Amino acid sequence: MGGYGDVQMIDEKGLRMDGRKPSECRPIEIETGVVPVADGSARVRWGLNDVIAAVYGPMEAHPRKIQRQDRAVLDVRYNMAPFSTTDRIRPGFNRRSREISKVTAEALESVVLLELYPRSKIRVEIEVLCAEAGTRCAGITAASAALAHAGIPMTDLVVSVASGKVNGVVVCDLNKEEDNYGEADLPMGILPNSGELVFLQMDGDLSQEDFKIAWDYNMEAASHIHEIMARALKGGDA
Amino acid sequence: MSIPLVPELLRKHLADLADSDMRIDGRGRFESRDISLEVGILPRAEGSARVQMGNTIVLAGVKFQLMTPYPDRPNQGGLMCSAEVRPVAGRSWEPGPPSPQSIELGRVVDRGIRESGCIDVDELCIIPGERAWQVILDVFAVSDDGNLFDAFALAGIAALRSAIVPAERFEIGEDYPLPVSKTPTMCSYHRVGGRYVLDASKKEELGGDERIHITLGDDGHVHSLQKGLKGIFTTAEFEEIMEHAIERCAELRDLVNNAIEK
Amino acid sequence: MRGRRVAGPIDMTRGRGAGGPHGSRESVLVAPGDDLGDSKELEPGHGVIVVDGRLKAVKQGRMMKDGKNVGIQPRRTAYVPRPSDLVIGFVEGMTNNIWFIDIGAPFNAILPLSLGPSKASFGGLRSVLDVGDAILCRIQEVEENHSSVATMKGMGLRKLKTGSVESVDPHLLGRVIGSKGANLSELKEKTDTRIIVADNARVWIDGDVAGIISARAELGAMMMKAKISEYGGDV
C-alpha cells in the first residue's frame, strides 16, 4: 500500500474515479468451457482482469511420492502471462505466484471432496491474461467455477473479492489505482451458501470500524458474484 | 511434457484411413481446420492476437522495453520471441521449466519472423549506442489440440503487425505503429498414416510420425525450415509439401492482412 | 476463450439468493453448494450429501427426483471403476507378472498374469500384450483406496486388434445404448459395424473404414443431441 495522500480518488459526491459507489463491484462476467481440451474450465472477466482456469483430472498422481493414500492431491498453479501487465513479466520462478498458488490451493482444498479420489491428482491451472488489481480473487473465483465445470465434487463454490480503503474511505473491489495508492487491501474467499471463509489476507492500515465495513462489503459482493457464477454454471440465460 | 501413451489401434486406424485417402475428422489431406484470427484482444499488450483452429487456441502479446544497444551493434534494437506452453494448455504439458518441446516451438517461430527481416532492427534504435527499443513477442497456448506451431506463428505475426510503439509512456515522442515490412507465415505438415497432412490435430500428432515446418515470406522466399521428431522423408515428399506450402502461406498472409485492416 | 455460457453483470440492488432449486425452469439445474431440501423427508443420491440435516449438491448438473431420492445427473463426471464393469483399457506398462492398464479412471488398474490371456508366461508378457495395446476386460475388484484389478478371464474378453476406440461422456452412456439397446442396434445396423460400449465410457467400433467413420460421426451427433436436450443448446 503506497499511501499517497495527495492522489484524490474519491470525488465530492463520494464516487470513485471510475464512477462507482464505495460498495460497488466492477462489472463481472463468468464463462465456462473456454479451454476445450481441459476437463473443466472457466474465464472470469472482472474490470480489465481477464483470468482463465483449467482443471485436469482426477488422474493418476505422478511421481508416486506425491500420492496420498487417503485423498487426492490438489495441484494449483497461479501464473501471470508475460503480456498481462504494463511492464512485461519474465516467465519463470516467482515468489508472489508461489504464495498465491499455495493460498489458492488451501482455499479450494477446504471445499473439494478430495477423499473421494485417493492416490490421484487434480490439476488446477490459473492463468492471468490481463491484470488490473485483484487477480488472486479473480483466480480463486475462476478456479472454483472450473472445478465445478469439471464435475469435481465440492461442498460449495468459492467466490473471492477484496475490499480496501482509499482516501480514508472504505471501498469494495479495488481497481488498479486504488490498489496502488490506497491504504489497505482485504481479500477474502467466501463460501456463498454458508457465508464461511476459506481464504483471508490483508495488508495496510484499517481501524476496527473500517475493517468491519470492508468485511461486510466483501460479504455482500460475494453473494452478487455467486449469482453470476451460478448462472454461468447452470447455463441460464444471461 | 509427458509422453502420452500411443494406442496401437490409433496408429493402425490412421493408416487405414490414409489408405482410403481420408482423415480421422473427415478433412482432406491438405485441408486445414477453420481458422479464426482476432487482433487487439489484450488490453495490457501493445499488440496482440488470438488464433483458434478447431480446439487449438493460442494468444500472442507484444511488449516493448528500452534497452542499451549491444556494443558491437550500436545502431540496432532488439527482437525477442518467446513461447511457453504452460500446463493450462493440455494434459500432457506438465509444470516445471520449459520443456525441449516448448523451446523448439519458440525458436522455430522466432526464426521464421526474425529471418524474414520483417522487423528492421535498425529502425528500433532511438539514440545510437545509448537507447533502443526491444520488441518482445510472447506466444501463449490456451488449449492444445494439435499444431501449435502454425497457430503460434500466425498469432505472432498478427500481434506484431497490430503493435503500437508506446513512445508516449516512455516519454520519447508520440506513439506510432511498429513498422513491419513483411508477413512471414508458417505451414506445418505431419506424417500421419504414412503420408503428409496439413494442420494435424492432437490425435493425428499422437498417432503420427515426423513433422516438417515451412515458413515463407511475402515473395515466397523460404525463411525457416524445421524437421521434428523421429522419421525419414524423401525429396519427392518434400517437394510436394513445399508446392502446397507456397499456396497455403499466401492464404494465411491474406488472413493476417484482413484481420489487420479490420 | 470463446465458451458459449456467458453470464453478464447484474444489478446489485435486485433481490439476492443462490437461485436455489425451487420454482422456475432453471430450478432443476444445480451448482455445488445449492440447498436441495430437508434430510428428514428426502434421501441423498448421486452428487448429494447431508450437512446439518440439509441435502446439499456437491456437483453441477441436473437434479433428479425419484420418490424420496434426490440425485444429480452431472454435466461431467470422472469414471470410477466398480466390480464387474466391462472396460476398454490400454496397456501402459508391465512387470514380469503384472500389466498396468489405463482404464480412463483416476487411477490405473493392474492385470495380473494369472488373470491375463492364458498363453502368457512369467517374464514374457510383452509378446502377448505390449504397451499401447487395447484390451477388453472386466473389473474384478476395487480396493478401498481405488486401485482396481482387471481380468481377461470371461466370455469375449480379449485383445482388440482392429477397429477404433472413441471416448464419450460417462454419464451419457445410457443415451448411446438407448432403451433395451435400441439406439445401439440401430447404429450398428445403419453403419454395418460391430460396436462395444464399455462402462468406462470408451466405445469400440469395428468394421470397414467407411463404416467406422460414419459410426463415429453418428456417435458424435448423438452426444451433441443429448447435451443440447439437457442443457438447452449449451455443451
Side-chain angles (χ1 to χ4, degrees), chain B residues 70-92:
Chain B
Y70 297 108
D72 54 335
R73 292 174 199 152
N75 296 316
Q76 290 185 356
L79 169 66
M80 189 172 116
C81 183
S82 133
E84 198 188 3
V85 186
R86 297 202 38 90
V88 67
R91 198 174 267 258
S92 55

Side-chain angles (χ1 to χ4, degrees), chain B residues 94-167:
Chain B
E94 287 186 333
S99 61
Q101 284 85 351
S102 137
I103 291 169
E104 183 194 15
L105 263 164
R107 288 184 55 87
V108 173
V109 172
D110 179 271
R111 284 205 294 274
I113 289 170
R114 182 184 305 278
E115 301 303 327
S116 74
C118 65
I119 292 189
D120 182 356
V121 282
D122 289 335
E123 283 185 44
L124 298 174
C125 184
I126 303 163
I127 304 169
E130 281 183 33
R131 272 209 298 187
W133 289 111
Q134 183 180 31
V135 184
I136 308 173
L137 170 67
D138 283 290
V139 284
F140 182 96
V142 171
S143 175
D144 172 21
D145 193 28
N147 198 13
L148 283 181
F149 280 88
D150 288 2
F152 274 170
L154 190 64
I157 189 65
L160 285 171
R161 290 272 315 264
S162 72
I164 304 288
V165 182

Side-chain angles (χ1 to χ4, degrees), chain A residues 54-212:
Chain A
V55 172
Y56 291 92
M59 58 190 167
E60 192 162 329
H62 286 298
R64 199 168 267 263
K65 67 174 184 199
I66 69 162
Q67 286 178 8
R68 297 282 302 258
Q69 293 295 320
D70 56 343
R71 64 172 179 87
V73 176
L74 197 64
D75 187 14
V76 178
R77 251 172 308 281
Y78 162 99
N79 179 62
M80 294 180 82
F83 42 66
S84 62
T85 50
T86 311
D87 295 320
R88 177 178 183 261
I89 296 177
R90 278 174 71 111
F93 180 86
N94 172 324
R95 288 167 64 87
R96 175 180 173 274
S97 297
R98 287 288 169 101
E99 190 212 346
I100 295 177
S101 301
K102 179 176 180 289
V103 294
T104 304
E106 289 156 355
L108 297 169
E109 276 171 3
S110 315
V111 294
V112 175
L113 297 174
L114 294 169
E115 59 275 19
L116 294 179
Y117 303 106
R119 306 212 287 166
S120 64
K121 173 169 84 173
I122 299 169
R123 256 174 50 192
V124 180
E125 310 288 348
I126 301 166
E127 294 288 341
V128 179
L129 304 177
C130 186
E132 194 220 350
T135 58
R136 75 189 66 193
C137 295
I140 291 173
T141 306
S144 95
L147 281 163
H149 185 244
I152 308 284
M154 51 211 284
T155 55
D156 206 338
L157 297 166
V158 181
V159 295
S160 181
V161 59
S163 286
K165 192 174 169 186
V166 290
N167 295 157
V169 179
V170 180
V171 295
C172 185
D173 185 25
L174 305 174
N175 67 20
K176 193 174 176 229
E177 290 74 25
E178 293 168 343
D179 190 45
N180 286 351
Y181 302 114
E183 292 112 72
D185 183 18
L186 171 71
M188 306 197 322
I190 298 160
L191 308 187
N193 285 289
S194 66
E196 293 165 308
L197 278 85
V198 290
F199 163 65
L200 177 65
Q201 291 186 320
M202 189 265 172
D203 58 347
D205 184 347
L206 279 180
S207 69
Q208 288 292 336
E209 292 74 33
D210 286 346
F211 174 69
K212 183 81 187 62

Side-chain angles (χ1 to χ4, degrees), chain B residues 211-261:
Chain B
R211 46 182 161 77
I212 294 180
H213 312 283
I214 301 173
T215 306
L216 300 181
D218 289 10
D219 33 23
H221 284 198
V222 189
H223 294 305
S224 100
L225 294 173
Q226 179 95 345
K227 180 254 179 182
L229 302 180
K230 179 188 81 174
I232 302 169
F233 64 98
T234 66
T235 306
E237 281 173 327
F238 185 78
E239 279 170 352
E240 188 191 13
I241 59 174
M242 178 58 97
E243 200 175 310
H244 181 264
I246 294 169
E247 210 176 293
R248 182 62 191 161
C249 284
E251 286 171 17
L252 292 173
R253 192 165 302 115
D254 291 342
L255 198 69
V256 176
N257 289 337
N258 289 340
I260 297 294
E261 273 162 33

